[in-house]
Amino acid sequence: MSRPTHGAIANDGTVALVSGTGPSDVGGSLEVFDGEEVHLERQFNATTGLPAIRADGSFVAVSTRPPASTVTLFDVGANRAVAAQTVPRRTPRVLGFHGDGKYLYVGIRRNDDPYLALDTTGTVLWGSDRFRASRPLRARLESLTEQLRS
């Protein structure tokens, strides 16, 4: 990794590093490794933000900044992306695993309530008022219909 910019370390010693590109380029990369081998490597066509790693090192999340604001969740052992959640018109700035690592919280501002929470399958379990308002009208109506049925 040529230019590491941010990192996170799990309790088991697994490390997640993100790097940037040159000052005139847009892009970044993610590398997850332990002392012996690289478990996951990905390239992004957007600038990467702070990574988050679950305490046992099994899942890693990284965000990208506009124009393609997305939070991507990776299963490290399977070496694959589990989910990618678009964050329209917002920049994810804080990622963290909570609830014994069952939930990934995504924050927009450091001192604010979480914007949304994902489980390890990438399902949105909870979304703030701002998150719900950012969803397309059709998705909001479908969600309201489901709530009325239950």
Side-chain angles (χ1 to χ4, degrees), residues 46-123:
T47 303
T48 52
L50 297 170
I53 190 164
R54 197 159 102 167
D56 65 3
S58 61
F59 286 89
V60 171
V62 68
S63 64
T64 57
R65 297 190 177 153
S69 292
T70 304
V71 174
T72 307
L73 179 64
F74 295 95
D75 181 332
V76 175
N79 192 10
R80 68 181 179 89
V82 175
Q85 176 67 46
T86 301
V87 184
R89 299 179 300 278
R90 307 274 188 227
T91 300
R93 298 193 188 281
V94 180
L95 302 176
F97 285 94
H98 298 280
D100 293 332
K102 295 178 184 177
Y103 312 107
L104 172 68
Y105 283 98
V106 178
I108 303 302
R109 295 186 186 109
R110 295 200 185 282
N111 298 328
D112 207 357
D113 290 333
Y115 184 69
L116 63 93
L118 303 171
D119 68 9
T120 55
T121 67
T123 302

Side-chain angles (χ1 to χ4, degrees), residues 110-143:
R110 295 200 185 282
N111 298 328
D112 207 357
D113 290 333
Y115 184 69
L116 63 93
L118 303 171
D119 68 9
T120 55
T121 67
T123 302
V124 176
L125 298 174
W126 177 88
S128 69
D129 291 341
R130 288 186 294 169
F131 170 76
R132 289 192 300 274
S134 73
R135 297 174 61 211
L137 179 59
R138 181 181 186 115
R140 288 186 273 165
L141 291 174
E142 289 172 355
S143 177

